Amino acid sequence: MNLKSNNPFLKNKSFTKPVEATVFDAEGRPVEIIDYNNTMTINGAINKSFILLFVLLASSFFTWYMVNNGQNPYVVAITGGLIGFVMVLIASFKPNYSQYLAPAYALFEGMFIGGISAVFALYFYPEIIMQAVLGTFVTFIVCFLLYRFKVVKVTEQFKSIVVAATFAIASYYLVSWILSLFTSWQPVHHGNSLMSIGISVFVIVIAALNLFLDFDMIEQGAKKRLPKYMEWFSAMGLLITLVWLYLEILRLLAKLSSRD
């Protein structure tokens, strides 16, 4: 079965590789030896996801404390975001190091999230931070329950639609960013117009749909008995989606607050 996800991080080829056999029979043919203590499990991936989430939240709160004591939030956010991005790139090519890279990503991404949240709280709309956190948590729980009880089934058509929508969003953001650097063009998703708010709602929906594909990827990875380190790798991928979802909800709430 060809596993696919619209989360680029979870499309790593390691998700298509079962545990390699190291034993051969008398005729030289490989014999698959299944060591269930050294293969990926759903519970293992879930537990590691909670560990990473705890690290991210702890880092975010510490960053918030630093900002309240005079640290420049922009410096912290940019530093954490860049280093976190490097962690993702390395893990994409070296997933066997995920047990080290995933906690490092959560730590630095916590700095990024904490810095960005502090900017909104100190200079714009402090009340939206907890609203964004609650919105992200509720969205995650709802998506998990819908997937767990098979209300939403991750079919190939479902995957294709989400992949296409995600690619369109990424392309739009990239082109908008490049144009804003070299021209005076104002991207449509900036500001608080109804169109801008509509775009944010659409992006949040696509980010939420990513969660279904991530859940499915973790389940299929466990069925294929992938190596144990893939628990960290998949947990890291799920955290990436949650961070994206939180940022988009935060942006939407800021737009809505600015219209009051």
Side-chain angles (χ1 to χ4, degrees):
M1 179 177 179
N2 185 24
L3 303 180
K4 298 179 181 179
S5 171
N6 69 311
N7 184 334
F9 185 77
L10 291 181
K11 291 174 69 176
N12 188 283
K13 293 181 179 179
S14 296
F15 270 104
T16 64
K17 298 178 181 179
V19 178
E20 296 181 355
T22 57
V23 178
F24 299 86
D25 61 16
E27 298 180 0
R29 294 174 298 188
V31 178
E32 182 179 10
I33 302 298
I34 302 174
D35 182 1
Y36 290 100
N37 293 321
N38 197 37
T39 56
M40 177 180 176
T41 64
I42 294 177
N43 287 337
I46 292 176
N47 292 337
K48 290 173 176 60
S49 296
F50 280 117
I51 292 174
L52 296 185
L53 183 60
F54 174 80
V55 173
L56 183 139
L57 291 176
S59 177
S60 298
F61 285 125
F62 181 72
T63 300
W64 192 289
Y65 172 80
M66 292 173 58
V67 171
N68 286 333
N69 284 273
Q71 179 65 51
N72 189 323
Y74 293 99
V75 173
V76 177
I78 293 174
T79 301
L82 289 176
I83 298 178
F85 180 68
V86 171
M87 297 296 103
V88 172
L89 288 180
I90 297 175
S92 297
F93 291 100
K94 296 291 184 180
N96 52 309
Y97 294 147
S98 296
Q99 58 181 326
Y100 311 110
L101 296 172
Y105 166 78
L107 177 67
F108 288 107
E109 200 67 10
M111 293 173 55
F112 173 71
I113 292 296
I116 293 295
S117 300
V119 169
F120 277 92
L122 295 176
Y123 306 120
F124 300 104
Y125 318 102
E127 70 278 0
I128 69 174
I129 305 303
M130 288 306 301
Q131 294 174 7
V133 172
L134 180 61
T136 303
F137 177 75
V138 171
T139 301
F140 174 81
I141 294 298
V142 170
C143 290
F144 177 76
L145 292 177
L146 290 175
Y147 178 82
R148 174 65 178 81
F149 294 103
K150 307 299 181 181
V151 177
V152 175
K153 297 182 179 179
V154 182
T155 63
E156 290 302 318
Q157 183 179 13
F158 181 90
K159 294 177 184 179
S160 299
I161 293 174
V162 177
V163 167
T166 304
F167 179 77
I169 292 171
S171 300
Y172 168 75
Y173 278 169
L174 178 61
V175 172
S176 298
W177 177 66
I178 294 176
L179 289 177
S180 65
L181 288 178
F182 300 102
T183 68
S184 58
W185 180 70
Q186 183 75 4
V188 180
H189 66 281
H190 286 183
N192 60 358
S193 66
L194 291 178
M195 180 174 290
S196 177
I197 291 174
I199 292 175
S200 289
V201 171
F202 174 74
V203 174
I204 289 173
V205 171
I206 298 303
L209 293 180
N210 266 273
L211 293 173
F212 291 108
L213 271 66
D214 295 340
F215 296 149
D216 181 69
M217 180 63 69
I218 292 173
E219 182 178 9
Q220 296 302 323
K223 288 181 179 179
K224 290 179 68 68
R225 300 187 295 273
L226 299 181
K228 196 71 173 178
Y229 62 76
M230 294 302 292
E231 293 178 351
W232 286 106
F233 188 83
S234 58
M236 186 177 179
L238 183 58
L239 190 64
I240 291 172
T241 302
L242 289 174
V243 168
W244 177 30
L245 181 62
Y246 169 77
L247 292 175
E248 294 297 343
I249 292 177
L250 188 65
R251 178 182 296 181
L252 174 62
L253 292 175
K255 293 177 181 179
L256 294 174
S257 297
S258 66
R259 291 177 63 90
D260 294 339

